[in-house]
Amino acid sequence: MPYDHRKTPLRTPLRLRALLRGPVLGLTAVGCCAALAGCGASQASPSDGKSARGGEAATTAATPSGGPGGAGTPAASPGAAGTSLAGRTVVLDPGHNPGNFRHAREINQKVNIGTNRKECDTTGTSTNAGYTEAAFTLDVTHRLRDLLAARGAEVVLTHDADRPWGPCIDERAKIGNAARADAVVSVHADGSAVGHRGFHVILPARVREGAADTAKIVGPSRELGERIADRFARATGTAPSNYLGSGTGLDVRDDLGGLNLSTVPKVFVECGNMRDPKDAELLTSAAWRQKAAQGMADGIATYLRG
C-alpha cells in the first residue's frame, strides 16, 4: 500500500545540530526527552537484493509501535530495569529505504567501501507474501528507539523513511561516525534459502585498505555483537543461525561498507530469514518484533554498562 508519512516531528539534540548543517545528509535524531512515535507502513514488494550471507542496504516503512496490530512499548526487562543510558549515544540504522525500488539508477551507483566499490544500496528482501525487509526494519527500529530513549539514551536514526531513497552505505557509516556514537546497530532481515533459520549478528573484520581501517573497532564491536546475540536469543526464544556462524550467531565480514568505514563500534543484526516460512511467521508478528527490539535494547544496554 502507499507509504504513510504520518510522523511526530523529531527533536534534534543540540550536539548534532551542527552536523545536520554539514555534508552528512539524512540524519534523524531523537533526544532522550523527545516524544516518540512510529511511522506508517509500506508494503510495496521490491526485488530480492539479499544473498544467503545477508545484504547491506536498507528499505523502510512501519506500523506504529502502538498502532493497529502493534505492541506498545513495554517496560525495560528485569535485567535492565533502572539502568540509565543518559549521556550515551546510540545510532540505529534501519536497513533499506522503502523508496529504493523506485530509484534503481540511484541505488545502483557505486560508492567506495574501502576495499572496493559497491552499490550504494539495495531494495532489501521480503517474505513470500510481500512483507518487505524495509517495513520490518523500520518497525523494529522504532520499537528499539523507544526502548533506548526510555532508558535515557540519545538515539540517532540514519533515516526514517523521510527521503526518497538511501542513504548510501558509505553515508550510513558517516552518520554514525559524525555522531561519535557509543554503539551503532544496523537492523536487517536475511533473504536466504528455505530451511535456513535463526538470527545472526555480523561483526567487522580487521580491514585496513583505502578509506577503511577497522583496527580500533574490531574488539568493541565483537563485544557489542556478543551481548546483543545473547540477549536477543533470551528475549525472542529463537536460536542462532543454522547456516552461518557455526551456532554462535556471529559472522565476521570484510565486504560491508557500513562496517568497513565505521570508526565507532558497529554491528549488523539479521533478525531472521524472511524467505523461510517459519521465520517469516515470526518476523511478521508485531509481538515478536517487540521481543526482537527488547533483546537488542538489552544487549546494547549491557554493552554500554561495561
Side-chain angles (χ1 to χ4, degrees):
M1 63 181 65
Y3 181 68
D4 183 350
H5 288 277
R6 290 171 297 178
K7 280 198 280 283
T8 297
L10 302 176
R11 290 171 54 188
T12 304
L14 292 175
R15 188 164 67 81
L16 292 171
R17 288 181 184 169
L19 300 176
L20 287 165
R21 301 189 192 102
V24 178
L25 303 177
L27 186 61
T28 301
V30 181
C32 62
C33 297
L36 300 171
C39 292
S42 168
Q43 294 297 321
S45 296
S47 60
D48 187 349
K50 304 280 279 189
S51 69
R53 281 179 58 80
E56 169 148 19
T59 321
T60 24
T63 301
S65 297
T73 302
S77 64
T83 299
S84 173
L85 298 181
R88 312 309 293 270
T89 299
V90 180
V91 170
L92 301 179
D93 178 29
H96 315 286
N97 184 308
N100 279 0
F101 73 97
R102 293 189 294 267
H103 293 272
R105 181 179 62 83
E106 290 87 349
I107 67 171
N108 284 331
Q109 62 185 316
K110 298 292 182 69
V111 298
N112 188 347
I113 67 166
T115 53
N116 54 56
R117 295 183 68 81
K118 197 170 182 178
E119 288 76 13
C120 158
D121 207 346
T122 72
T123 59
T125 189
S126 68
T127 66
N128 292 333
Y131 180 53
T132 64
E133 181 184 1
F136 171 82
T137 61
L138 195 62
D139 180 82
V140 172
T141 297
H142 285 166
R143 296 169 188 270
L144 177 54
R145 172 196 66 186
D146 293 355
L147 290 166
L148 293 171
R151 301 184 193 195
E154 180 178 282
V155 183
V156 177
L157 272 61
T158 59
H159 76 101
D160 202 11
D162 48 359
R163 52 190 290 169
W165 55 274
C168 294
I169 53 182
D170 57 339
E171 185 181 344
R172 291 171 187 266
K174 290 176 183 177
I175 292 169
N177 297 344
R180 298 181 181 179
D182 296 295
V184 182
V185 175
S186 189
V187 180
H188 286 264
D190 208 358
S192 189
V194 174
H196 287 180
R197 297 199 60 196
F199 72 90
H200 64 279
V201 181
I202 303 175
L203 313 176
R206 188 175 293 272
V207 174
R208 187 173 184 180
E209 188 173 343
D213 186 354
T214 63
K216 292 182 180 180
I217 69 163
V218 168
S221 295
R222 172 168 284 274
E223 182 180 352
L224 172 62
E226 289 174 347
R227 298 296 181 92
I228 290 176
D230 174 65
R231 295 308 176 100
F232 191 95
R234 293 191 200 185
T236 63
T238 54
S241 169
N242 64 7
Y243 61 101
L244 285 172
S246 302
T248 66
L250 303 174
D251 185 33
V252 178
R253 293 178 61 172
D254 64 2
D255 62 328
L256 300 180
L259 296 179
N260 289 356
L261 300 176
S262 182
T263 59
V264 293
K266 182 174 182 177
V267 299
F268 280 45
V269 181
E270 298 278 359
C271 297
N273 176 20
M274 299 195 95
R275 291 300 191 181
D276 177 83
K278 293 180 179 179
D279 266 14
E281 185 176 357
L282 298 176
L283 297 168
T284 53
S285 163
W288 188 90
R289 293 196 298 272
Q290 187 66 37
K291 293 178 182 178
Q294 186 70 64
M296 284 186 270
D298 291 347
I300 293 167
T302 57
Y303 167 75
L304 293 178
R305 286 205 310 264

